[in-house]
Amino acid sequence: MEIIKVKDYAELSKEAAKIFERTIAKQQNKEVVINTTTGASYDGMFKLLVDYINKGRMSIKNTIITNLDEYIAKKTDKYTVYRYMYENFYNLINQSPKYIGLLDGSVSDIGEEIERYNKVLQNYPRDLQILGLGVNGHLGANEPGTSFNSRLFLANSDESTIKSTMKYQKLNSSEAPTQMLTLGLADIMDSNEILLVASGERKAEAVQRTIEGPISKMCPATILRNHPNVTFIIDEEAAKYLKS
């Protein structure tokens, strides 16, 4: 695991955008597959990517973009991954990716949706998997206790995750989603390269456990230490509990 320590969130966003851009550049106009996540950790990165694309600095015409997870909700609900990706990225850029692959949490048959998206994952092996770190060490909706062998599944969110969603999306308890479709930890580990970021003091305990704690399913992010190509970007506040 390569650890990049930066000063603050702005620098973290620039480093994350740099890795996104580098992944595309390495393919030399060949098809590239990037699976991304959403939320506060990557708001800054997406703003930079929109700027890069619209100014011609980066082309995504040969890029396949898929997503890590999706809430069980109507597509139009304010907190869905679908809505985030369109409002913060797809609707703002002057160039479309070659393929957009989003999970659908609004369907009546979850098993059928899992089967459909598994085919998407099989058809488009990932060059880069982008992840955020939960305050309890989760990745996607793989909450503490999830098997390291997990594959795309319907997950129940922990209370800490629900509260984080409420804070970020300004929801009350009756509005907050409690379930997600998510790639499993084994799916995440299948990617050729992984990017993980964490910003702020509220992530500091999870950062310390991820880097220095025992590899355990009680902190799902620790599985990434078994992957050969992981970059973990942290800012000063997120790094404050590290012992070394």
Side-chain angles (χ1 to χ4, degrees):
M1 179 182 286
E2 178 187 5
I3 300 168
I4 299 175
K5 185 180 175 184
V6 297
K7 181 179 179 181
D8 53 24
Y9 181 76
E11 288 190 15
L12 179 147
S13 298
K14 289 178 182 178
E15 288 294 328
K18 188 185 300 182
I19 289 175
F20 192 107
E21 186 177 26
R22 184 188 70 194
T23 302
I24 292 174
K26 281 195 302 186
Q27 299 302 311
Q28 297 180 341
N29 296 319
K30 295 179 182 177
E31 186 176 279
V32 57
V33 182
I34 298 176
N35 183 289
T36 189
T37 190
T38 56
S41 294
Y42 286 101
D43 288 347
M45 183 194 76
F46 278 112
K47 286 181 181 179
L48 289 170
L49 294 179
V50 168
D51 187 61
Y52 294 171
I53 293 166
N54 289 344
K55 290 182 177 177
R57 169 173 166 171
M58 181 174 69
S59 171
I60 58 168
K61 65 180 181 180
N62 289 317
T63 305
I64 311 295
I65 300 179
T66 56
N67 274 85
L68 176 68
D69 48 26
E70 179 59 280
Y71 293 103
I72 300 301
K74 297 177 182 177
K75 283 185 177 182
T76 54
D77 284 348
K78 64 179 292 186
Y79 51 78
T80 62
V81 171
Y82 176 92
R83 186 161 169 176
Y84 181 101
M85 289 301 298
Y86 276 92
E87 290 185 352
N88 292 278
F89 191 55
Y90 297 130
N91 289 344
L92 304 179
I93 53 178
N94 57 19
Q95 181 186 116
S96 296
K98 188 173 183 179
Y99 174 80
I100 296 171
L102 286 156
L103 280 156
D104 188 350
S106 69
V107 298
S108 57
D109 191 331
I110 296 299
E112 189 174 281
E113 176 61 8
I114 289 173
E115 184 178 349
R116 180 193 72 83
Y117 208 72
N118 271 324
K119 291 178 181 177
V120 172
L121 297 176
Q122 291 166 10
N123 290 337
Y124 301 114
R126 284 151 289 148
D127 296 290
L128 176 66
Q129 175 68 63
I130 298 175
L131 303 167
L133 179 67
V135 293
N136 61 3
H138 74 241
L139 300 175
N142 292 271
E143 301 285 6
T146 302
S147 168
F148 282 176
N149 296 319
S150 61
R151 293 285 180 181
L152 180 60
F153 70 106
L154 176 63
N156 295 317
S157 298
D158 275 8
E159 188 64 26
S160 62
T161 303
I162 295 170
K163 287 180 178 179
S164 292
T165 303
M166 289 170 60
K167 182 178 180 180
Y168 177 60
Q169 297 288 355
K170 298 179 175 60
L171 304 172
N172 61 46
S173 57
S174 65
E175 297 171 316
T178 60
Q179 290 184 306
M180 295 190 83
L181 283 168
T182 183
L183 269 65
L185 296 170
D187 294 316
I188 288 169
M189 294 292 281
D190 283 343
S191 181
N192 291 335
E193 181 179 0
I194 295 173
L195 167 64
L196 178 68
V197 306
S199 175
E201 184 178 357
R202 63 189 295 268
K203 299 292 181 74
E205 183 178 347
V207 168
Q208 190 277 326
R209 292 175 67 197
T210 298
I211 295 173
E212 298 178 339
I215 296 176
S216 165
K217 67 180 182 180
M218 297 316 296
C219 182
T222 57
I223 192 177
L224 299 181
R225 283 164 35 202
N226 291 330
H227 192 283
N229 192 10
V230 176
T231 302
F232 191 5
I233 307 172
I234 53 177
D235 62 17
E236 291 180 354
E237 287 296 305
K240 68 185 303 179
Y241 296 153
L242 291 176
K243 297 171 184 175
S244 60

